[in-house]
Amino acid sequence: NAGVTQTPKFRVLKTGQSMTLLCAQDMNHEYMYWYRQDPGMGLRLIHYSVGEGTTAKGEVPDGYNVSRLKKQNFLLGLESAAPSQTSVYFCASSPRGPGGANVLTFGAGSRLTVL
Amino acid sequence: DAKTTQPNSMESNEEEPVHLPCNHSTISGTDYIHWYRQLPSQGPEYVIHGLTSNVNNRMASLAIAEDRKSSTLILHRATLRDAAVYYCILRVIISGSARQLTFGSGTQLTVLP
């Protein structure tokens, strides 16, 4: 049982280049999330999805786009990378559940450096 | 949105209990209190969560104040593998039934051998 898998694990981009981070989960979870973590800080929510075909903005969505064409996959795109997007990106998923109880499962992270 | 406040760092000796505090004075009645931890170079890992009553699982215990404005994560016997950043988080409604975890900067726990 792989849980949440992120690819790639590492990537170096030049300013202005584009790329896509892929998140895949095999737990049949309804909800998926993309977070970024900058050095010495907590995680900040970029975008999230409450189901296949639906996405919504989180706390820091500017400069990113997402798509959820299949329930198990959540893609994070950078159309024109900027040095400020240098960060570690974490994907997470959770089941639909009552109240605020449902638990998140995180991937191992994708480290992105923009030169 | 409700916020949490945690000490930046704490130290503990191996095999001793550790009490990690968290203040959340603006918590609402429907906010669950979650604890996650992040080991070096890994993604956050779920530890425990609760609403009003104290909770126990194989990893830890969660003690919630009667007024719910604070909580304490208790590791009963710290091991070197417990050295991590511990996040106290409130599960906040963001859209319909979807919930957002708002992470603060957490508490860096150092376990001394």
Side-chain angles (χ1 to χ4, degrees):
Chain A
N1 188 350
V4 177
T5 303
Q6 295 181 228
T7 53
K9 289 183 170 49
F10 302 94
R11 185 73 187 268
V12 178
L13 289 178
K14 294 181 179 178
T15 298
Q17 287 184 321
S18 63
M19 76 157 296
T20 300
L21 298 176
L22 171 63
C23 176
Q25 53 96 2
D26 61 3
M27 297 169 286
N28 201 34
H29 285 172
E30 290 292 333
Y31 303 157
M32 296 188 74
Y33 314 79
W34 275 106
Y35 287 87
R36 63 175 286 174
Q37 185 174 36
D38 299 319
M41 297 182 65
L43 280 72
R44 292 183 292 171
L45 183 65
I46 305 171
H47 285 280
Y48 65 96
S49 168
V50 299
E52 182 178 321
T54 70
T55 64
K57 295 180 180 180
E59 184 184 354
V60 289
D62 294 342
Y64 305 95
N65 57 75
V66 287
S67 64
R68 185 126 179 246
L69 299 179
K70 294 183 178 180
K71 184 177 183 180
Q72 63 268 33
N73 295 337
F74 196 29
L75 278 62
L76 178 71
L78 286 72
E79 290 186 348
S80 180
S84 61
Q85 294 177 303
T86 294
S87 190
V88 180
Y89 292 84
F90 290 98
C91 177
S93 68
S94 68
R96 186 194 306 273
N102 43 329
V103 170
L104 267 65
T105 300
F106 282 85
S110 297
R111 183 176 297 274
L112 175 64
T113 301
V114 183
L115 303 176
Chain B
D1 289 345
K3 300 291 185 187
T4 61
T5 304
Q6 301 175 252
N8 289 333
S9 62
M10 292 184 64
E11 280 187 356
S12 172
N13 293 319
E14 196 176 9
E15 300 197 0
E16 290 187 355
V18 181
H19 291 233
L20 297 166
C22 181
N23 289 323
H24 28 77
S25 58
T26 59
I27 191 171
S28 74
T30 57
D31 287 341
Y32 277 75
I33 302 159
H34 286 244
W35 284 82
Y36 282 72
R37 71 180 186 180
Q38 188 174 20
L39 302 171
S41 301
Q42 295 189 26
E45 172 188 34
Y46 168 77
V47 177
I48 200 166
H49 74 277
L51 184 61
T52 57
S53 303
N54 294 344
V55 184
N56 298 296
N57 66 22
R58 64 176 181 80
M59 290 182 70
S61 296
L62 176 60
I64 301 173
E66 194 170 338
D67 63 7
R68 299 205 333 120
K69 293 185 177 182
S70 65
S71 61
T72 302
L73 178 71
I74 302 165
L75 306 179
H76 296 287
R77 290 184 64 195
T79 69
L80 297 178
R81 293 180 60 186
D82 291 323
V85 178
Y86 286 79
Y87 295 100
C88 167
I89 306 153
L90 302 182
R91 201 72 195 270
V92 177
I93 296 172
I94 48 175
S95 174
S97 58
R99 267 62 175 172
Q100 171 184 348
L101 291 183
T102 301
F103 285 77
S105 54
T107 297
Q108 173 69 60
L109 175 65
T110 300
V111 180
L112 304 173

